[in-house]
Amino acid sequence: MKKIVVLVSGGGTNLQALLDAEARGEIPNGKITCVIASKPGVYALERAKKHGVPTRVLERKAYDNVHAYSIAMRDLLLEEEADLVIYAGFMTILDEAVCDAFPYRMINIHPALIPSFCGKGYYGLHVHEAALAKGVKVTGATVHFVTSECDGGPIILQQAVAVKNGDTPEILQRRVMEEAEWKLLPKAAALFCNDQIEIIDGLAVVKE
Ligand code: GAR
């Protein structure tokens, strides 16, 4: 059974999708053993507690810089003996101190079809604002491995979602979550825990 540690910064609907999938038996070889938040008081922590999952808070603002925070996060993840680390709406970019300690063992959900609308500054609602400003007709979500390049790691799963006339960033965000994110992230977790993802020539290959 692989130990899954989930990193969160906000409302935690993606965490909820993971907790629900685990409860339905859809992640048979994985168990969510800890949820770590980058700030106290976020609703994601309540969701974890309701499911009896231990929580920890590692406050970003308690550290002077990203590197110091990354080292502290690495040590916490090692202490938790994480086999898989899932960024589920985790809004801090961690540096190579973490990425090098967990190569191809950390995955992130991004609310667009990478390589569109990704990288520094593209997070949360901003991603959907940018998609609407560009007038794209299709957007979606991507699950990828985390490397020290922001949103640049090997792509594991993607799901397209239609953009509709009259969409606001909030409406589009909700549709991308419902039709893509909440399905893709648990599926990627299950694939990882079943050893169904292989890295070949720097790309992620899913063995169905
Ligand atoms: C989700 O849409 C997630 O894809 C996005 O933030 C939202 C968090 O919602 N993540 C990023 O933009 C990361 N770059 P949640 O807290 O309800 O899961």
Side-chain angles (χ1 to χ4, degrees):
M1 189 64 80
K2 290 191 169 67
K3 289 186 182 179
I4 303 172
V5 175
V6 184
L7 308 186
V8 295
S9 298
T13 64
N14 278 287
L15 168 66
Q16 190 67 55
L18 288 164
L19 292 166
D20 292 344
E22 187 191 346
R24 290 193 301 266
E26 290 170 9
I27 313 178
N29 295 312
K31 183 173 168 50
I32 300 168
T33 53
C34 183
V35 170
I36 303 176
S38 57
K39 48 186 177 214
V42 296
Y43 189 64
L45 290 169
E46 296 308 313
R47 295 180 190 272
K49 283 175 195 155
K50 278 185 196 149
H51 278 253
V53 177
T55 61
R56 305 181 74 150
V57 176
L58 189 67
E59 257 197 279
R60 171 63 186 90
K61 68 174 192 213
Y63 295 83
D64 286 344
N65 53 58
V66 170
H67 188 58
Y69 186 68
S70 297
I71 288 172
M73 182 63 84
R74 177 198 63 198
D75 292 346
L76 209 53
L77 293 170
L78 290 171
E79 197 181 305
E80 290 293 335
E81 300 177 326
D83 296 305
L84 171 64
V85 180
I86 300 182
Y87 289 44
F90 184 67
M91 297 306 184
T92 300
I93 299 168
L94 300 172
D95 73 9
E96 63 283 349
V98 180
C99 301
D100 292 352
F102 293 88
Y104 303 119
R105 282 164 61 197
M106 301 198 294
I107 64 176
N108 175 49
I109 179 89
H110 183 74
L113 293 173
I114 290 174
S116 290
F117 311 116
C118 66
K120 212 168 174 337
Y122 288 98
Y123 60 91
L125 215 48
H126 299 303
V127 178
H128 305 291
E129 285 164 0
L132 291 174
K134 190 67 189 174
V136 295
K137 306 303 180 225
V138 174
T139 183
T142 302
V143 179
H144 64 92
F145 280 112
V146 177
T147 62
S148 49
E149 184 191 345
C150 179
D151 294 331
I155 292 169
I156 301 166
L157 296 174
Q158 290 188 300
Q159 174 68 52
V161 173
V163 179
K164 297 184 182 173
N165 290 341
D167 273 353
T168 62
E170 291 80 6
I171 289 170
L172 185 57
Q173 179 182 53
R174 182 75 191 182
R175 189 179 311 119
V176 169
M177 285 176 159
E178 282 178 358
E179 294 184 12
E181 296 186 46
W182 299 341
K183 296 174 185 164
L184 283 192
L185 193 55
K187 186 174 178 194
L191 288 168
F192 180 92
C193 293
N194 293 345
D195 294 320
Q196 282 178 268
I197 311 172
E198 210 179 322
I199 299 293
I200 301 175
D201 295 335
L203 302 179
V205 177
V206 174
K207 298 177 285 178
E208 292 289 355

